[in-house]
Amino acid sequence: MVDNSTINERNFESIPYPIRVFNEDFVRENLLFTDDPEQGVTPFAVLGGNVEIEKEIQEVKGKLGSSEERSETGLYLERKNAVKDYQDAEKEIKEEKEQLEKMLKLKALDKESCIKYLSHIFGDQNYNVAKLEDELKKVTYHNQLANEQFYLQSTISY
């Protein structure tokens, strides 16, 4: 109690919180600081609410699974797989971006079919990738060619 009064058989029923009584052997084995102030408390479960808490802890541990490398289970395995999927997707995006940049450079600067060297058709002798990218940003859904138009356009020789 806060006022340091003694709890006994006459007043224990008026105490608003649960009271647990432990025998001397239990105290000696688990409350190590009673013999040596430098020691702590050995973890233990008190019957009652702690049993449910321990059960919940075991359920959570079961969901988490093992974090042992190359033997992961549960949520650890899900996280490992998600990280791998993310890294794979990131790598694929990088490769696609590099391929697109390569195609843009080819379209803007290739001697035989590029916009720069066909200025009599496209009108700009100083054409480069940056200008092509700017023009592509202006393209809307309505400006896009249908597949049939695209194939017809690509067969026309300049």
Side-chain angles (χ1 to χ4, degrees):
M1 297 188 70
V2 177
D3 62 4
N4 291 328
S5 61
T6 302
I7 300 172
N8 57 36
E9 67 275 356
R10 284 176 273 172
N11 65 3
F12 80 92
E13 289 181 355
S14 66
I15 306 299
Y17 39 84
I19 298 173
R20 307 264 193 246
V21 178
F22 303 101
N23 67 25
E24 188 177 326
D25 293 335
F26 180 88
V27 170
R28 194 177 320 107
E29 290 173 15
N30 295 289
L31 304 177
L32 305 175
F33 63 87
T34 58
D35 291 331
D36 180 2
E38 297 296 318
Q39 296 292 321
V41 176
T42 302
F44 61 90
V46 177
L47 295 177
N50 289 348
V51 172
E52 287 83 24
I53 293 171
E54 184 64 30
K55 188 177 178 182
E56 287 180 39
I57 289 170
Q58 293 308 317
E59 287 176 15
V60 169
K61 283 183 177 179
K63 288 178 184 177
L64 281 175
S66 170
S67 64
E68 187 177 330
E69 195 166 336
R70 296 191 183 128
S71 299
E72 294 89 352
T73 60
L75 292 175
Y76 286 109
L77 180 61
E78 285 183 36
R79 180 188 179 281
K80 179 182 177 180
N81 291 338
V83 167
K84 184 183 181 315
D85 291 345
Y86 172 80
Q87 290 170 339
D88 290 347
E90 194 174 47
K91 180 181 175 186
E92 187 176 331
I93 289 170
K94 181 181 176 189
E95 290 171 356
E96 289 290 330
K97 186 176 180 182
E98 288 171 356
Q99 184 65 26
L100 179 61
E101 287 174 5
K102 191 176 182 181
M103 289 170 56
L104 285 172
K105 286 179 186 176
L106 184 67
K107 189 62 180 170
L109 303 173
D110 183 59
K111 294 240 186 234
E112 293 181 21
S113 65
C114 77
I115 296 170
K116 180 176 183 171
Y117 295 102
L118 298 174
S119 59
H120 61 284
I121 296 172
F122 297 106
D124 189 353
Q125 184 66 35
N126 298 318
Y127 208 79
N128 59 30
V129 175
K131 288 182 180 181
L132 178 58
E133 287 175 344
D134 286 342
E135 288 184 17
L136 288 174
K137 289 177 187 174
K138 296 175 188 174
V139 175
T140 66
Y141 178 78
H142 300 295
N143 300 119
Q144 294 178 1
L145 297 175
N147 284 340
E148 302 81 30
Q149 293 172 310
F150 177 76
Y151 292 121
L152 178 64
Q153 198 73 11
S154 63
T155 58
I156 298 173
S157 61
Y158 298 103

